[in-house]
Amino acid sequence: MTTQTAPNLLANLFETYSLNDTISLKNRILMAPLTRCMADANLVPTDDMVAYYERRAEAGLIITEATIIRPDGQGYPNTPGIFTQAQIAGWRKATDAVHAKGGKIFVQLWHTGRVSHPHFFGGGDVLAASAQKIEGSVPRMRELTYVTPKAATLEDIQGLVRDYAKAAENAIEAGFDGVEIHGANGYLIDTFLHHDSNRRTDEYGGTPANMSRFALEVVDAVAARIGKDRTGLRISPGAYFNMAADSRDRAVFDYFLPELESRDIAFLHIGIFDDSMQFDYLDGNASSYARAHYGKTLVGVGSYSAQSASEAIATDKFDLIAIGRPFIANSDYVARVRDGVELVPYSDEMLTSLV
Ligand code: FNR
Ligand code: 8K6
């Protein structure tokens, strides 16, 4: 390793890491999933997106921006999909480009649940665990106020599970190394895992086992289709986005995490913007809570610098770090950290173009 200029302290970020017998990462720095709203009108990844991911192939693993599994999962403009042949072909260019540079790439599978809007799919139901709406409107399209969702019927749920598995199959056809199921940030799967959004009285609500059922069914269906070694999951045990906190959620995640651990998937990833955020009902921050209840590979994220991430890994708080905003600002984030070169600071204005 050529790390003369990098402080020794950061060396652990550049160790290889085996997720399992199938997938080895060349370093411990992941690119976090980052919605950019730059797909074309048919939600096909563009050549600019291909080049954007290719530039970041030095990451140990790229997790793509959230990518919708079917039309009614869309809640933001121009978010890519993975349910048409054109979308699969568009993604194939990105996976080929990243692989040619020696990188690895997972796609994040998304259904926005009650944060979706019928504007994007020509009208129809917005599906969620229960008919509990969130206040507010679509970012950058403030005229689109969120609607009251329909509580998914048992038939809807079966269809959704099937469509996650189909999207995972499409991901493999598109050349991805695996998928990260988006179970975080208040979107569809997360609506089942929190009391704020799950008021069901059937087998998908009311008890920790019932509230965990949909998420585990999706994990099982995806793992059965593409292999557990290629299946990751992101969750938000701490409610912080599109969700109100409820101390009863603790019991749900206390049940969910050991169940998930027994599935032996590739990794568990926390969904949070700032991992120093404290949740009283989790007795601390989200990653420490997950570490205490889940014994397999854990990906930390949320306002970490290379230095704080390296320290967290050295003290066994988690195994891998996902970097979000700094990776938007620095396509060569990994090289800069390795070579001790100063980073370009992130700013929100950077979201208007793919650099
Ligand atoms: C995000 N984040 C996010 N999370 C996710 O699971 N799927 C997504 O598509 C997105 N999209 C997204 C877009 C933008 C513009 C931002 C800033 C964030 C959250 C992201 O993955 C990460 O958790 C946070 O950005 C915190 O990490 P950093 O940025 O502090 O390293
Ligand atoms: C900028 C891209 C356009 C919009 C959609 C992004 C969707 C993913 C979530 C990122 C939004 C950032 C909001 C930050 C919330 C922090 C809560 C503490």
Side-chain angles (χ1 to χ4, degrees):
M1 227 185 312
T2 53
T3 51
Q4 298 99 313
T5 51
N8 239 354
L9 174 78
L10 303 181
N12 60 357
L13 297 178
F14 295 91
E15 292 163 358
T16 58
Y17 187 90
S18 287
L19 292 176
N20 43 52
D21 291 341
T22 311
I23 302 174
S24 273
L25 309 182
K26 62 189 171 188
N27 60 57
R28 294 183 187 231
I29 303 172
L30 277 54
M31 178 181 175
L34 294 159
T35 290
R36 302 304 309 269
C37 300
M38 300 275 184
D40 77 11
N42 296 314
L43 312 187
V44 173
T46 64
D47 290 346
D48 283 348
M49 288 167 62
V50 171
Y52 160 87
Y53 285 115
E54 181 179 20
R55 281 192 288 276
R56 289 162 173 80
E58 262 207 89
L61 178 66
I62 293 171
I63 302 170
T64 70
E65 64 204 278
T67 297
I68 60 173
I69 62 163
R70 60 187 219 177
D72 70 353
Q74 189 177 353
Y76 306 87
N78 298 94
T79 50
I82 187 141
F83 54 89
T84 70
Q85 279 306 316
Q87 292 161 359
I88 293 168
W91 278 123
R92 169 55 85 169
K93 293 191 213 167
T95 61
D96 283 349
V98 169
H99 289 150
K101 288 267 166 74
K104 292 211 160 69
I105 181 166
F106 274 35
V107 63
Q108 193 187 45
L109 298 183
W110 201 23
H111 188 299
T112 58
R114 63 180 177 168
V115 190
S116 73
H117 199 286
H119 166 81
F120 297 116
F121 48 91
D125 291 326
V126 163
L127 292 178
S130 296
Q132 297 290 323
K133 87 194 238 338
I134 52 162
E135 294 307 320
S137 53
V138 178
R140 298 189 197 168
M141 302 180 81
R142 293 296 172 196
E143 69 284 5
L144 298 179
T145 307
Y146 291 124
V147 303
T148 302
K150 179 189 129 183
T153 62
L154 296 184
E155 199 184 341
D156 291 330
I157 287 174
Q158 285 170 2
L160 286 160
V161 171
R162 263 199 310 275
D163 290 338
Y164 276 102
K166 177 64 183 162
E169 182 183 319
N170 292 347
I172 299 304
E173 186 184 340
F176 284 105
D177 297 288
V179 307
E180 174 176 282
I181 299 164
H182 196 342
N185 297 351
Y187 300 116
L188 178 68
I189 292 172
D190 205 24
T191 65
F192 284 82
L193 292 167
H194 294 265
H195 284 84
D196 172 47
S197 47
N198 187 340
R199 312 287 172 92
R200 301 177 73 101
T201 53
D202 65 359
E203 64 262 46
Y204 289 92
T207 67
N210 286 349
M211 292 173 70
S212 299
R213 191 177 311 282
F214 178 62
L216 292 171
E217 284 179 350
V218 172
V219 169
D220 289 340
V222 167
R225 192 68 63 92
I226 67 168
K228 64 186 169 68
D229 287 3
R230 299 192 183 280
T231 303
L233 175 69
R234 192 174 218 201
I235 56 164
S236 295
Y240 77 104
F241 187 51
N242 300 318
M243 191 66 73
D246 187 314
S247 59
R248 294 172 298 166
D249 293 351
R250 166 67 184 257
V252 179
F253 287 94
D254 281 358
Y255 173 87
F256 180 78
L257 288 171
E259 279 293 321
L260 184 71
E261 185 180 324
S262 74
R263 265 68 176 180
D264 195 27
I265 62 171
F267 60 80
L268 173 66
H269 184 186
I270 301 300
I272 190 84
F273 271 71
D274 181 351
D275 195 33
S276 67
M277 196 170 168
Q278 301 292 305
F279 296 93
D280 53 359
Y281 61 96
L282 300 181
D283 301 323
N285 66 338
S287 63
S288 307
Y289 167 73
R291 193 58 147 182
H293 295 263
Y294 184 83
K296 299 221 155 102
T297 298
L298 181 66
V299 183
V301 74
S303 304
Y304 282 93
S305 64
Q307 186 163 336
S308 63
S310 171
E311 285 164 11
I313 289 172
T315 52
D316 208 31
K317 302 237 174 350
F318 44 76
D319 306 294
L320 302 165
I321 181 68
I323 296 290
R325 288 161 288 188
F327 237 128
I328 291 177
N330 302 271
S331 61
D332 55 349
Y333 179 86
V334 174
R336 283 181 189 244
V337 169
R338 187 187 51 227
D339 300 339
V341 176
E342 205 176 326
L343 297 175
V344 177
Y346 167 85
S347 74
D348 287 339
E349 297 82 72
M350 294 175 177
L351 295 178
T352 56
S353 64
L354 286 178
V355 177

